Amino acid sequence: MQSTVSDQAVEKMAQRLGVSACAIRMVSNPKTRNYRVYVQRQGRKKRLIEAPKIILKRIQRSLLDSIFSHEHSSTWSHGFCPGRSIFSHAVLHTCKDVVVTMDIKDFFPSVSSQKTRPVLRKFFPDESELELTMQLVTRNGRLPQGAPTSPHLANLVFSPIDEAIARSLGARWVYSRYADDLAFSGDGPAGMLIDTVSEIVLRNGFCIATKKTRVMRQHHRQKITGLVVNRGLNLSREKRKNWRATLHRISTQGVEAAEPHCPFKLNGFAAFHMGLDKFKKAQA
């Protein structure tokens, strides 16, 4: 363990989280292999997942539930926020003249220890406790994608940037963010919006994946995080057709015939559809 972390800080953290000081010392030791690292493939996308092993994961979960969650993300953030969702994010942009989506490149890897430290200092003003917490929630100088603490901490880091973006756009644009997906809707000049947001994001140490930026007008399909928002909140025609076909196969051939290679996929599809239906009924 680094010399900047005192035994008193370890004991205090252990008491605060209800775990043993021995466990804290073990997982905060940089020589301990606390993560399972692998590449996750989803279509063409590849993501480096750094999944904490069980003891560290429990400690991170305790930090999140008992300490970090008491500070809320910005009002513009909808990802990994209680009471908000992919649906609450997309519904803000329904029936608008222009919809613009932008994507932050390498979101979690871009949340460095330098960006995270000021956020953690609010919870742990003592320097030794702060250093210990940094060791528990960061890996290789950044937030690990796979740790339960990373999404909320990333949101807290990005909250001032959310505010700066919203303030710069004024009343002509509605803004919301779901993790690394930024969405805007309104009737202003899209080019000026893209330039303004890109500059703010870059100034704060992040970068826009320019190839993923989309400007969608009412006469074309407007999509936000997989949902069509032209006339309310809906799935695309293709997805609705595929889902109806899947339900038909289930009713006539059984679940295994509907998705023989990955039955868990059906659970995800079903949960998504039920969540959308529930959200739309609550909005009605």
Side-chain angles (χ1 to χ4, degrees), residues 279-284:
F279 182 84
K280 290 171 74 171
K281 286 177 182 176
Q283 292 282 305

Side-chain angles (χ1 to χ4, degrees), residues 131-174:
E131 184 60 36
L132 174 60
T133 311
M134 290 290 295
Q135 292 176 16
L136 293 172
V137 301
T138 63
R139 182 176 186 267
N140 295 333
R142 53 184 170 75
L143 292 182
Q145 187 164 339
T149 45
S150 292
H152 187 63
L153 290 177
N155 276 339
L156 295 181
V157 167
F158 211 84
S159 286
I161 308 173
D162 285 331
E163 186 174 357
I165 290 172
R167 194 187 307 119
S168 71
L169 300 178
R172 296 194 71 177
W173 293 98
V174 174

Side-chain angles (χ1 to χ4, degrees), residues 4-258:
T4 51
V5 177
S6 65
D7 288 339
Q8 184 181 5
V10 173
E11 295 288 345
K12 190 174 180 181
M13 179 71 76
Q15 186 176 16
R16 195 169 180 181
L17 299 181
V19 299
S20 71
C22 180
I24 297 283
R25 289 190 180 93
M26 182 181 72
V27 298
S28 60
N29 187 333
K31 294 181 180 179
T32 306
R33 294 184 178 181
N34 291 307
Y35 290 87
R36 186 170 65 91
V37 182
Y38 60 95
V39 175
Q40 183 184 72
R41 289 177 173 83
Q42 188 174 6
R44 295 180 180 178
K45 288 184 179 180
K46 291 182 180 180
R47 290 182 178 178
L48 181 69
I49 302 298
E50 299 164 293
K53 294 182 180 179
I54 187 165
I55 296 175
L56 177 57
K57 187 176 182 179
R58 285 176 179 171
I59 290 171
Q60 290 173 341
R61 174 57 66 181
S62 294
L63 279 166
L64 175 63
D65 292 343
S66 62
I67 300 174
F68 299 153
S69 63
H70 294 304
E71 180 161 346
H72 300 298
S73 306
S74 75
T75 56
W76 299 277
S77 175
H78 290 256
F80 316 105
C81 302
R84 304 180 211 167
S85 65
I86 192 173
F87 309 122
S88 65
H89 167 61
V91 77
L92 296 172
H93 307 283
T94 56
C95 308
K96 298 294 178 67
D97 290 338
V98 183
V99 171
V100 179
T101 56
M102 304 173 74
D103 191 274
I104 301 168
K105 186 177 181 181
D106 300 326
F107 184 48
F108 283 106
S110 297
V111 186
S112 63
S113 297
Q114 185 179 0
K115 294 187 183 83
T116 308
R117 187 177 290 272
V119 169
L120 293 178
R121 195 180 295 278
K122 297 176 185 177
F123 304 104
F124 299 99
D126 177 80
E127 197 64 34
S128 186
E129 291 178 42
L130 172 63
E131 184 60 36
L132 174 60
T133 311
M134 290 290 295
Q135 292 176 16
L136 293 172
V137 301
T138 63
R139 182 176 186 267
N140 295 333
R142 53 184 170 75
L143 292 182
Q145 187 164 339
T149 45
S150 292
H152 187 63
L153 290 177
N155 276 339
L156 295 181
V157 167
F158 211 84
S159 286
I161 308 173
D162 285 331
E163 186 174 357
I165 290 172
R167 194 187 307 119
S168 71
L169 300 178
R172 296 194 71 177
W173 293 98
V174 174
Y175 165 60
S176 67
R177 177 177 59 84
Y178 189 90
D180 56 354
D181 295 315
L182 315 183
F184 309 86
S185 59
D187 60 359
M192 185 179 298
L193 170 123
I194 291 168
D195 290 344
T196 299
V197 173
S198 298
E199 193 276 328
I200 292 171
V201 168
L202 188 62
R203 190 198 315 152
N204 285 276
F206 293 88
C207 183
I208 295 294
T210 54
K211 290 183 179 179
K212 295 182 180 180
T213 298
R214 299 287 183 269
V215 178
M216 299 159 282
R217 305 187 187 279
Q218 258 291 338
H219 56 281
H220 291 126
R221 185 164 65 178
Q222 298 170 321
K223 285 181 68 177
I224 293 178
T225 51
L227 293 160
V228 179
V229 296
N230 293 67
R231 299 177 182 178
L233 203 60
N234 291 292
L235 292 169
S236 67
R237 188 177 302 172
E238 296 88 344
K239 285 186 177 180
R240 292 199 304 270
K241 183 179 177 181
N242 290 340
W243 182 238
R244 284 195 296 267
T246 299
L247 290 177
H248 177 71
R249 286 197 300 274
I250 291 174
S251 64
T252 57
Q253 304 172 45
V255 174
E256 291 184 2

